[in-house]
Amino acid sequence: MRSGRLRLLGAAAAIGLIAAPFATALAQTPMDDPLDARDAKRLDRMENVVRELRDIVFKGQKTGVPVVVEPADTDSRLADVATKVGDLEQSLTKLNGSLETTSHDLDQAKRENTALRAQVKALSDRLAADEQKMDDAVKAAASAAVVPAGPPEPPPPPDPKAAAASANDAFGKARQKMLSGDYDAAETAFSDYVTTYPDTPKTPEARYWWGKTLAVRGDYVKAASAFIGSIRGWPQTAWAPDAVVELGRALVQLKKPADACGTLSELKRRYPKAPPAVEARAATVRLQAKCT
């Protein structure tokens, strides 16, 4: 409390020191010499300051709270405001530069797009002109062509004997390639035979040997198809029982054991006199398929 009173007394003394010069100045100023407008405003501001100091001191006397007069920070705040304004101006300058660059790029892109459209149109016109020239040339050639007097004569019918001889020759060459161990060439030859001669007496056997070459190469999908075509109708030939066994083996390789067992079950019924070697191979395939 004592410290507060001392501070209040000090503040009162400060007010007295501040007010004394104003009183002296007023006493020395002649009354008939009026102040100009600027001096009057300064005097008013000083009087306002004195009144505020007195209010502060009297308030401190009543409450006993120490009076603390903080220095004004107007200059620092103005400096901060000036700095922020400067930063804002720099940001606006950069933004304007970016907008100008974007506008320039956009204008350049528009010009390039216009030029590209012109090039595309020119190419389209050239293409249309070339197509028209081609159409005109085709029409001119068609009109200049000689129209035959009548329909062309049909080709003479093929000679059955010549066709059979050609088929037998093709089959013999394909068989010889297989016997010599050239399975790639044999596969191509038998495939060509089946395509060229689909209905000859040798076609089922050609399918059988074709399936053999495919099985050697590991193409069990095509091999199974070839073997099925060869035994269609269950032909009574020397190679037919082996074709049934080969079909069962291909089905085992294709992970179809049930189909393999069903195929092998027809072997004894369709070919009860199959050679022992064929029966032995069929037994091996049954084991592989786990037939019951």
Side-chain angles (χ1 to χ4, degrees):
M1 182 65 70
R2 182 178 181 183
S3 174
R5 291 195 183 95
L6 290 176
R7 291 180 180 177
L8 290 174
L9 291 175
I15 293 173
L17 292 174
I18 294 172
F22 292 108
T24 304
L26 292 174
Q28 292 178 356
T29 304
M31 297 304 293
D32 56 353
D33 186 9
L35 298 174
D36 57 11
R38 187 189 309 172
D39 293 337
K41 290 181 179 180
R42 292 176 62 188
L43 183 59
D44 290 340
R45 287 198 297 271
M46 292 180 181
E47 289 178 352
N48 289 332
V49 171
V50 171
R51 281 195 295 271
E52 290 176 359
L53 291 174
R54 290 178 59 191
D55 291 341
I56 292 172
V57 172
F58 290 150
K59 183 178 179 181
Q61 288 178 347
K62 291 179 181 181
T63 61
V65 178
V67 178
V68 180
V69 180
E70 297 180 354
D73 58 350
T74 304
D75 294 339
S76 63
R77 292 182 179 179
L78 288 176
D80 292 341
V81 172
T83 301
K84 293 180 179 179
V85 171
D87 294 341
L88 181 59
E89 290 177 349
Q90 291 180 0
S91 299
L92 289 176
T93 301
K94 292 180 180 179
L95 180 59
N96 288 332
S98 177
L99 290 176
E100 291 177 358
T101 302
T102 303
S103 178
H104 177 270
D105 294 341
L106 182 59
D107 292 339
Q108 183 67 24
K110 289 181 178 179
R111 288 193 293 270
E112 293 177 354
N113 189 23
T114 302
L116 182 60
R117 287 182 179 178
Q119 293 177 2
V120 171
K121 186 178 183 303
L123 291 175
S124 298
D125 293 341
R126 289 180 57 186
L127 181 59
D130 292 340
E131 290 179 349
Q132 185 61 43
K133 290 180 181 179
M134 185 177 296
D135 291 341
D136 294 341
V138 171
K139 291 178 181 178
S143 62
V146 178
V147 179
E153 295 182 0
D159 185 359
K161 293 182 179 180
S166 178
N168 291 333
D169 182 64
F171 184 88
K173 290 180 179 179
R175 188 77 176 92
Q176 186 61 40
K177 290 176 181 179
M178 185 168 183
L179 292 175
S180 65
D182 191 354
Y183 292 102
D184 292 342
E187 176 190 345
T188 302
F190 282 118
S191 175
D192 292 343
Y193 185 94
V194 170
T195 303
T196 307
Y197 308 103
D199 297 321
T200 69
K202 286 287 187 179
T203 301
E205 186 178 357
R207 291 182 180 276
Y208 164 68
W209 293 114
W210 183 30
K212 282 276 195 177
T213 61
L214 291 169
V216 170
R217 293 167 60 91
D219 192 348
Y220 294 105
V221 174
K222 291 183 179 179
S225 178
F227 289 130
I228 290 173
S230 68
I231 62 175
R232 186 175 289 114
W234 305 103
Q236 298 298 316
T237 59
W239 50 265
D242 186 69
V244 175
V245 177
E246 288 295 330
L247 175 58
R249 190 166 70 89
L251 292 173
V252 170
Q253 295 296 328
L254 293 175
K255 310 299 182 184
K256 295 182 178 181
D259 294 338
C261 293
T263 299
L264 294 174
S265 65
E266 293 292 325
L267 181 63
K268 289 185 177 181
R269 189 166 70 89
R270 299 289 181 177
Y271 305 106
K273 296 181 179 181
V278 174
E279 288 288 355
R281 292 179 60 245
T284 300
V285 177
R286 288 192 185 92
L287 290 175
Q288 293 174 348
K290 298 180 180 179
C291 299
T292 57

mmCIF file of all heavy atoms in Angstrom, residues 121-148:
data_model
loop_
_atom_site.group_PDB
_atom_site.id
_atom_site.type_symbol
_atom_site.label_atom_id
_atom_site.label_comp_id
_atom_site.label_asym_id
_atom_site.label_seq_id
_atom_site.Cartn_x
_atom_site.Cartn_y
_atom_site.Cartn_z
ATOM 1 N N LYS A 121 -7.641 -29.645 -92.224
ATOM 2 C CA LYS A 121 -8.577 -29.381 -93.320
ATOM 3 C C LYS A 121 -7.898 -29.555 -94.678
ATOM 4 O O LYS A 121 -8.475 -30.115 -95.618
ATOM 5 C CB LYS A 121 -9.140 -27.966 -93.202
ATOM 6 C CG LYS A 121 -10.234 -27.663 -94.229
ATOM 7 C CD LYS A 121 -10.791 -26.276 -94.031
ATOM 8 C CE LYS A 121 -11.943 -26.038 -95.022
ATOM 9 N NZ LYS A 121 -11.545 -26.232 -96.410
ATOM 10 N N ALA A 122 -6.646 -29.073 -94.778
ATOM 11 C CA ALA A 122 -5.929 -29.215 -96.038
ATOM 12 C C ALA A 122 -5.702 -30.688 -96.371
ATOM 13 O O ALA A 122 -5.879 -31.123 -97.525
ATOM 14 C CB ALA A 122 -4.600 -28.465 -95.962
ATOM 15 N N LEU A 123 -5.314 -31.497 -95.356
ATOM 16 C CA LEU A 123 -5.118 -32.929 -95.586
ATOM 17 C C LEU A 123 -6.422 -33.618 -95.966
ATOM 18 O O LEU A 123 -6.439 -34.501 -96.829
ATOM 19 C CB LEU A 123 -4.516 -33.573 -94.331
ATOM 20 C CG LEU A 123 -3.068 -33.177 -94.001
ATOM 21 C CD1 LEU A 123 -2.654 -33.789 -92.669
ATOM 22 C CD2 LEU A 123 -2.119 -33.642 -95.096
ATOM 23 N N SER A 124 -7.520 -33.227 -95.319
ATOM 24 C CA SER A 124 -8.812 -33.830 -95.644
ATOM 25 C C SER A 124 -9.211 -33.510 -97.083
ATOM 26 O O SER A 124 -9.725 -34.368 -97.801
ATOM 27 C CB SER A 124 -9.875 -33.321 -94.667
ATOM 28 O OG SER A 124 -9.553 -33.692 -93.333
ATOM 29 N N ASP A 125 -8.956 -32.277 -97.487
ATOM 30 C CA ASP A 125 -9.294 -31.900 -98.865
ATOM 31 C C ASP A 125 -8.456 -32.698 -99.868
ATOM 32 O O ASP A 125 -8.970 -33.162 -100.898
ATOM 33 C CB ASP A 125 -9.054 -30.398 -99.051
ATOM 34 C CG ASP A 125 -10.023 -29.566 -98.221
ATOM 35 O OD1 ASP A 125 -11.065 -30.113 -97.803
ATOM 36 O OD2 ASP A 125 -9.730 -28.376 -97.975
ATOM 37 N N ARG A 126 -7.157 -32.868 -99.551
ATOM 38 C CA ARG A 126 -6.305 -33.638 -100.453
ATOM 39 C C ARG A 126 -6.762 -35.096 -100.535
ATOM 40 O O ARG A 126 -6.789 -35.712 -101.610
ATOM 41 C CB ARG A 126 -4.859 -33.571 -99.983
ATOM 42 C CG ARG A 126 -4.195 -32.207 -100.188
ATOM 43 C CD ARG A 126 -2.776 -32.217 -99.698
ATOM 44 N NE ARG A 126 -1.996 -33.253 -100.355
ATOM 45 C CZ ARG A 126 -0.745 -33.560 -100.027
ATOM 46 N NH1 ARG A 126 -0.139 -32.914 -99.040
ATOM 47 N NH2 ARG A 126 -0.097 -34.512 -100.683
ATOM 48 N N LEU A 127 -7.123 -35.676 -99.364
ATOM 49 C CA LEU A 127 -7.584 -37.057 -99.349
ATOM 50 C C LEU A 127 -8.872 -37.214 -100.148
ATOM 51 O O LEU A 127 -9.041 -38.180 -100.919
ATOM 52 C CB LEU A 127 -7.806 -37.509 -97.904
ATOM 53 C CG LEU A 127 -8.280 -38.957 -97.704
ATOM 54 C CD1 LEU A 127 -7.267 -39.923 -98.293
ATOM 55 C CD2 LEU A 127 -8.510 -39.255 -96.226
ATOM 56 N N ALA A 128 -9.797 -36.265 -100.005
ATOM 57 C CA ALA A 128 -11.043 -36.335 -100.756
ATOM 58 C C ALA A 128 -10.778 -36.227 -102.262
ATOM 59 O O ALA A 128 -11.396 -36.936 -103.068
ATOM 60 C CB ALA A 128 -11.985 -35.223 -100.295
ATOM 61 N N ALA A 129 -9.832 -35.356 -102.621
ATOM 62 C CA ALA A 129 -9.497 -35.217 -104.038
ATOM 63 C C ALA A 129 -8.880 -36.497 -104.590
ATOM 64 O O ALA A 129 -9.206 -36.939 -105.702
ATOM 65 C CB ALA A 129 -8.544 -34.031 -104.225
ATOM 66 N N ASP A 130 -7.987 -37.124 -103.806
ATOM 67 C CA ASP A 130 -7.369 -38.375 -104.254
ATOM 68 C C ASP A 130 -8.410 -39.489 -104.393
ATOM 69 O O ASP A 130 -8.364 -40.292 -105.352
ATOM 70 C CB ASP A 130 -6.274 -38.803 -103.274
ATOM 71 C CG ASP A 130 -5.086 -37.846 -103.293
ATOM 72 O OD1 ASP A 130 -4.933 -37.115 -104.286
ATOM 73 O OD2 ASP A 130 -4.316 -37.833 -102.304
ATOM 74 N N GLU A 131 -9.333 -39.569 -103.431
ATOM 75 C CA GLU A 131 -10.379 -40.589 -103.521
ATOM 76 C C GLU A 131 -11.254 -40.372 -104.752
ATOM 77 O O GLU A 131 -11.666 -41.328 -105.424
ATOM 78 C CB GLU A 131 -11.228 -40.562 -102.250
ATOM 79 C CG GLU A 131 -10.505 -41.068 -101.006
ATOM 80 C CD GLU A 131 -11.379 -40.991 -99.766
ATOM 81 O OE1 GLU A 131 -12.447 -40.348 -99.850
ATOM 82 O OE2 GLU A 131 -10.970 -41.543 -98.720
ATOM 83 N N GLN A 132 -11.533 -39.117 -105.062
ATOM 84 C CA GLN A 132 -12.339 -38.829 -106.234
ATOM 85 C C GLN A 132 -11.612 -39.236 -107.511
ATOM 86 O O GLN A 132 -12.206 -39.813 -108.440
ATOM 87 C CB GLN A 132 -12.681 -37.329 -106.281
ATOM 88 C CG GLN A 132 -13.625 -36.944 -107.401
ATOM 89 C CD GLN A 132 -14.966 -37.638 -107.284
ATOM 90 O OE1 GLN A 132 -15.525 -37.723 -106.191
ATOM 91 N NE2 GLN A 132 -15.502 -38.119 -108.404
ATOM 92 N N LYS A 133 -10.314 -38.953 -107.567
ATOM 93 C CA LYS A 133 -9.524 -39.356 -108.729
ATOM 94 C C LYS A 133 -9.513 -40.878 -108.881
ATOM 95 O O LYS A 133 -9.628 -41.408 -109.996
ATOM 96 C CB LYS A 133 -8.094 -38.836 -108.597
ATOM 97 C CG LYS A 133 -7.974 -37.327 -108.730
ATOM 98 C CD LYS A 133 -6.523 -36.898 -108.575
ATOM 99 C CE LYS A 133 -6.384 -35.381 -108.681
ATOM 100 N NZ LYS A 133 -4.966 -34.954 -108.503
ATOM 101 N N MET A 134 -9.384 -41.586 -107.749
ATOM 102 C CA MET A 134 -9.375 -43.043 -107.809
ATOM 103 C C MET A 134 -10.712 -43.576 -108.300
ATOM 104 O O MET A 134 -10.774 -44.491 -109.138
ATOM 105 C CB MET A 134 -9.054 -43.617 -106.424
ATOM 106 C CG MET A 134 -8.909 -45.132 -106.403
ATOM 107 S SD MET A 134 -8.454 -45.731 -104.756
ATOM 108 C CE MET A 134 -6.831 -44.963 -104.590
ATOM 109 N N ASP A 135 -11.813 -42.987 -107.805
ATOM 110 C CA ASP A 135 -13.133 -43.420 -108.266
ATOM 111 C C ASP A 135 -13.306 -43.174 -109.761
ATOM 112 O O ASP A 135 -13.845 -44.020 -110.493
ATOM 113 C CB ASP A 135 -14.225 -42.681 -107.479
ATOM 114 C CG ASP A 135 -14.280 -43.124 -106.030
ATOM 115 O OD1 ASP A 135 -13.755 -44.212 -105.725
ATOM 116 O OD2 ASP A 135 -14.837 -42.373 -105.199
ATOM 117 N N ASP A 136 -12.844 -42.037 -110.223
ATOM 118 C CA ASP A 136 -12.955 -41.723 -111.647
ATOM 119 C C ASP A 136 -12.153 -42.715 -112.482
ATOM 120 O O ASP A 136 -12.602 -43.161 -113.562
ATOM 121 C CB ASP A 136 -12.470 -40.296 -111.907
ATOM 122 C CG ASP A 136 -13.370 -39.260 -111.243
ATOM 123 O OD1 ASP A 136 -14.522 -39.609 -110.916
ATOM 124 O OD2 ASP A 136 -12.910 -38.121 -111.041
ATOM 125 N N ALA A 137 -10.950 -43.079 -111.978
ATOM 126 C CA ALA A 137 -10.121 -44.028 -112.723
ATOM 127 C C ALA A 137 -10.771 -45.400 -112.788
ATOM 128 O O ALA A 137 -10.746 -46.084 -113.825
ATOM 129 C CB ALA A 137 -8.736 -44.128 -112.072
ATOM 130 N N VAL A 138 -11.369 -45.833 -111.651
ATOM 131 C CA VAL A 138 -12.041 -47.137 -111.637
ATOM 132 C C VAL A 138 -13.221 -47.139 -112.596
ATOM 133 O O VAL A 138 -13.447 -48.101 -113.356
ATOM 134 C CB VAL A 138 -12.483 -47.481 -110.207
ATOM 135 C CG1 VAL A 138 -13.370 -48.719 -110.203
ATOM 136 C CG2 VAL A 138 -11.265 -47.708 -109.319
ATOM 137 N N LYS A 139 -13.993 -46.062 -112.604
ATOM 138 C CA LYS A 139 -15.135 -45.985 -113.502
ATOM 139 C C LYS A 139 -14.688 -45.994 -114.966
ATOM 140 O O LYS A 139 -15.305 -46.644 -115.817
ATOM 141 C CB LYS A 139 -15.946 -44.737 -113.197
ATOM 142 C CG LYS A 139 -16.677 -44.787 -111.860
ATOM 143 C CD LYS A 139 -17.428 -43.500 -111.600
ATOM 144 C CE LYS A 139 -18.143 -43.542 -110.252
ATOM 145 N NZ LYS A 139 -18.841 -42.258 -109.969
ATOM 146 N N ALA A 140 -13.599 -45.271 -115.236
ATOM 147 C CA ALA A 140 -13.101 -45.240 -116.607
ATOM 148 C C ALA A 140 -12.617 -46.612 -117.058
ATOM 149 O O ALA A 140 -12.873 -47.049 -118.185
ATOM 150 C CB ALA A 140 -11.972 -44.215 -116.715
ATOM 151 N N ALA A 141 -11.919 -47.315 -116.153
ATOM 152 C CA ALA A 141 -11.441 -48.656 -116.506
ATOM 153 C C ALA A 141 -12.599 -49.625 -116.715
ATOM 154 O O ALA A 141 -12.578 -50.468 -117.610
ATOM 155 C CB ALA A 141 -10.510 -49.174 -115.420
ATOM 156 N N ALA A 142 -13.645 -49.482 -115.884
ATOM 157 C CA ALA A 142 -14.802 -50.375 -116.025
ATOM 158 C C ALA A 142 -15.539 -50.127 -117.331
ATOM 159 O O ALA A 142 -15.995 -51.060 -117.997
ATOM 160 C CB ALA A 142 -15.741 -50.192 -114.841
ATOM 161 N N SER A 143 -15.650 -48.866 -117.698
ATOM 162 C CA SER A 143 -16.353 -48.557 -118.942
ATOM 163 C C SER A 143 -15.558 -48.982 -120.164
ATOM 164 O O SER A 143 -16.130 -49.291 -121.212
ATOM 165 C CB SER A 143 -16.645 -47.049 -119.002
ATOM 166 O OG SER A 143 -15.428 -46.308 -118.997
ATOM 167 N N ALA A 144 -14.223 -49.005 -120.019
ATOM 168 C CA ALA A 144 -13.388 -49.387 -121.157
ATOM 169 C C ALA A 144 -13.215 -50.894 -121.273
ATOM 170 O O ALA A 144 -12.673 -51.383 -122.264
ATOM 171 C CB ALA A 144 -12.011 -48.730 -121.039
ATOM 172 N N ALA A 145 -13.612 -51.637 -120.243
ATOM 173 C CA ALA A 145 -13.435 -53.090 -120.286
ATOM 174 C C ALA A 145 -14.339 -53.707 -121.344
ATOM 175 O O ALA A 145 -15.452 -53.227 -121.610
ATOM 176 C CB ALA A 145 -13.747 -53.693 -118.914
ATOM 177 N N VAL A 146 -13.861 -54.808 -121.907
ATOM 178 C CA VAL A 146 -14.627 -55.500 -122.941
ATOM 179 C C VAL A 146 -15.599 -56.465 -122.274
ATOM 180 O O VAL A 146 -15.194 -57.305 -121.456
ATOM 181 C CB VAL A 146 -13.686 -56.249 -123.896
ATOM 182 C CG1 VAL A 146 -14.503 -57.011 -124.941
ATOM 183 C CG2 VAL A 146 -12.738 -55.271 -124.560
ATOM 184 N N VAL A 147 -16.848 -56.345 -122.585
ATOM 185 C CA VAL A 147 -17.865 -57.224 -122.014
ATOM 186 C C VAL A 147 -17.869 -58.529 -122.801
ATOM 187 O O VAL A 147 -17.999 -58.521 -124.034
ATOM 188 C CB VAL A 147 -19.249 -56.562 -122.072
ATOM 189 C CG1 VAL A 147 -20.311 -57.500 -121.504
ATOM 190 C CG2 VAL A 147 -19.221 -55.242 -121.335
ATOM 191 N N PRO A 148 -17.726 -59.685 -122.151
ATOM 192 C CA PRO A 148 -17.725 -60.949 -122.879
ATOM 193 C C PRO A 148 -19.071 -61.206 -123.527
ATOM 194 O O PRO A 148 -20.111 -60.733 -123.055
ATOM 195 C CB PRO A 148 -17.390 -61.988 -121.800
ATOM 196 C CG PRO A 148 -17.796 -61.338 -120.519
ATOM 197 C CD PRO A 148 -17.551 -59.876 -120.699
#
